[in-house]
Amino acid sequence: QVQLVESGGGSVQAGGSLRLSCAGSTLTQSIACMGWVRQAPGKEREGVAGFDGDGNTYYADSVKGRFTISQDNAKNTLYLQMNSLKPEDTAMYYCAARSSGRLYCMSGYWDGLYNYWGQGTAVNVST
């Protein structure tokens, strides 16, 4: 069982930055890949960024060049650095992980990709 706890959300003005953190009970031994998924009110989940154990990453087109996903294995922590934030980035952000099947990890987000989820952290970007 993997437990994920997000932090770092908050309110920021457009153009600002936030860094989300996801502390995992174990990120190296039990995980094929991890990622950040967001959901805005009334909208479907959107995969924001993903990261596998080989250092490969993917990003949604909407965040490319603005967001960076990274992992600190020593701290069992996944990060999402979000720069140049826009009001449309407002959402609940979830950290998620997949326990096996790394071949599925870098094709972008799809329902069922991840089987572990955190509780979410809210990001609100105002104009």
Side-chain angles (χ1 to χ4, degrees):
Q1 186 73 15
V2 176
Q3 295 180 329
L4 305 171
V5 179
E6 302 97 332
S7 61
S11 295
V12 64
Q13 288 190 326
S17 298
L18 285 173
R19 189 176 79 157
L20 306 184
S21 298
C22 173
S25 55
T26 173
L27 296 186
T28 55
Q29 299 178 1
S30 306
I31 297 300
C33 59
M34 299 187 68
W36 291 93
V37 179
R38 67 186 180 187
Q39 187 167 24
K43 294 188 177 181
E44 295 184 353
R45 286 179 176 176
E46 176 188 20
V48 176
F51 181 95
D52 71 11
D54 295 326
N56 299 306
T57 59
Y58 78 81
Y59 295 93
D61 289 342
S62 57
V63 307
K64 282 181 181 177
R66 301 188 297 122
F67 291 10
T68 303
I69 189 171
S70 62
Q71 182 173 326
D72 186 332
N73 289 336
K75 296 181 179 180
N76 279 346
T77 302
L78 184 75
Y79 301 100
L80 185 68
Q81 178 66 43
M82 305 187 296
N83 298 328
S84 302
L85 283 161
K86 304 176 180 180
E88 51 263 44
D89 295 319
T90 295
M92 186 69 77
Y93 284 71
Y94 297 91
C95 174
R98 181 180 180 88
S99 55
S100 64
R102 186 167 290 183
L103 69 138
Y104 300 106
C105 289
M106 291 294 111
S107 299
Y109 176 73
W110 45 278
D111 283 345
L113 174 61
Y114 300 119
N115 53 335
Y116 295 112
W117 293 82
Q119 83 289 349
T121 185
V123 171
N124 182 61
V125 184
S126 59
T127 56

